[in-house]
Amino acid sequence: MSKAHIKSLVYDLGLSLNLIGNIDEYILSNRSALFILEYLGLISNLTRSHDKMERRSIWTDHFSTLNVFPNSEKLRQYFGDSIGFYFVWMKSYCVYLTCPLIAGLFCQVFNLLNGQHFEDKQVSLGIHLVYTIFMILWAVICTKMWQREYISCVDRWSGNALIELAANDLAWLFNFIDQRPTFHGTWRQSRVTGLMELHYPAAKRRLRYVASGFITLVCLLWAIFVNIALLNMEVSHLIITQNALIELFTCYRGTIEANLNGESLIRPPKHCPHPR
């Protein structure tokens, strides 16, 4: 907005001319028209309205064709990254759920057949065990797949191709924009893209796998040993408690004699300890 437009607006609205006394510095600083109007006190709050044409285009595009899931790319362009990530996650999660759905149906059918023809509890327990292991593996695999999808969305929505291209010539700039700044390795030319990339040698990676696997195995063996020791201690404590109760019951089993008042009296043997 030029100063002439602002003066015309002030005259039309009947505002004080003192408002445009210091308006020159705002005009010279290339401030937006909304900022200048806010300085003049003509507006206080800004509320972004919908672009009806763009919204209608998204709506028409979704219902014009048969789509199981909405177009997350267009929703992200209109509503922002958070909405885009939400719909990408819901789409991925719904696709991932098909695996436990199919596995659960198979297990249910096998349980029904086993209950009608065999009635073998061992088979039923085996089916439940297999399904439990499958769900654990499914959760781990789906988590890794979603991490890949998330990183792909970040690179696709916020990546800058020019910066990434320049980063292949500048190692420090590549580390600055890398999604994994803690990753370290040696620089080499990629066999796929022909660009420079950080590479960690496979031999060192396998050595770390072996070391971490050995440490994990030792921890598992220690956990198994502790559990077995606790179970044995619990069984020993239970046996000792039962033996003590049996001995106490036998010890205090005396002869019942009737006293003069007709009451029954238990007289324990002399070798039994006196109850406290």
Side-chain angles (χ1 to χ4, degrees):
M1 295 180 68
S2 63
K3 190 173 183 179
H5 288 92
I6 296 174
K7 284 184 177 181
S8 176
L9 182 62
V10 170
Y11 289 144
D12 293 339
L13 296 177
L15 301 176
S16 175
L17 296 178
N18 296 328
L19 293 175
I20 60 175
N22 299 325
I23 205 66
D24 292 333
E25 57 179 307
Y26 291 96
I27 297 176
L28 294 176
S29 61
N30 294 325
R31 297 294 181 91
S32 63
L34 293 176
F35 185 84
I36 296 175
L37 293 176
E38 183 182 8
Y39 169 76
L40 295 175
L42 300 179
I43 59 175
S44 58
N45 295 318
L46 296 176
T47 303
R48 184 179 179 181
S49 61
H50 283 282
D51 187 349
K52 295 183 179 180
M53 297 298 296
E54 183 68 20
R55 186 176 59 181
R56 188 178 295 111
S57 174
I58 297 174
W59 186 270
T60 305
D61 179 71
H62 177 68
F63 288 100
S64 60
T65 57
L66 182 60
N67 295 318
V68 180
F69 301 102
N71 192 340
S72 57
E73 294 287 343
K74 289 190 175 182
L75 291 174
R76 175 254 169 188
Q77 293 175 2
Y78 184 75
F79 291 103
D81 292 342
S82 58
I83 303 298
F85 276 117
Y86 171 77
F87 280 98
V88 171
W89 157 247
M90 292 303 298
K91 176 183 177 181
S92 302
Y93 187 57
C94 291
V95 173
Y96 298 158
L97 285 177
T98 55
C99 295
L101 172 63
I102 297 173
L105 289 176
F106 274 110
C107 291
Q108 189 67 22
V109 171
F110 288 151
N111 277 329
L112 291 176
L113 294 176
N114 179 53
Q116 292 178 359
H117 299 284
F118 303 102
E119 296 183 357
D120 190 352
K121 294 184 178 180
Q122 298 296 329
V123 175
S124 179
L125 291 176
I127 293 174
H128 286 87
L129 178 61
V130 171
Y131 184 73
T132 302
I133 296 174
F134 171 79
M135 289 300 298
I136 294 173
L137 295 176
W138 171 82
V140 174
I141 294 173
C142 289
T143 302
K144 297 298 182 182
M145 292 176 64
W146 168 245
Q147 289 178 356
R148 289 176 175 269
E149 183 68 23
Y150 176 80
I151 294 175
S152 175
C153 290
V154 171
D155 291 337
R156 188 169 63 252
W157 292 348
S158 61
N160 191 325
L162 295 177
I163 295 179
E164 291 177 359
L165 184 61
N168 286 279
D169 297 327
L170 300 174
W172 61 271
L173 185 57
F174 183 84
N175 288 328
F176 179 73
I177 66 171
D178 190 12
Q179 296 293 334
R180 296 181 298 169
T182 57
F183 181 80
H184 59 279
T186 57
W187 286 95
R188 72 168 189 179
Q189 186 177 8
S190 175
R191 300 175 183 177
V192 179
T193 61
L195 303 176
M196 298 301 295
E197 65 176 2
L198 277 175
H199 172 70
Y200 193 79
K204 293 183 178 180
R205 186 173 66 252
R206 295 190 184 98
L207 182 61
R208 291 199 173 192
Y209 287 161
V210 172
S212 62
F214 176 75
I215 295 173
T216 304
L217 180 61
V218 171
C219 294
L220 288 175
L221 292 176
W222 174 252
I224 293 173
F225 172 76
V226 171
N227 287 327
I228 293 175
L230 290 176
L231 288 175
N232 289 329
M233 291 175 62
E234 185 177 358
V235 172
S236 301
H237 177 71
L238 182 61
I239 293 174
I240 293 173
T241 304
Q242 289 181 350
N243 291 335
L245 291 175
I246 294 173
E247 183 180 356
L248 185 64
F249 176 75
T250 305
C251 183
Y252 283 95
R253 186 180 58 188
T255 58
I256 301 176
E257 298 179 356
N259 58 6
L260 297 177
N261 297 326
E263 297 176 352
S264 297
L265 179 64
I266 299 178
R267 296 183 179 277
K270 295 181 180 180
H271 65 276
C272 294
H274 193 276
R276 296 180 181 178

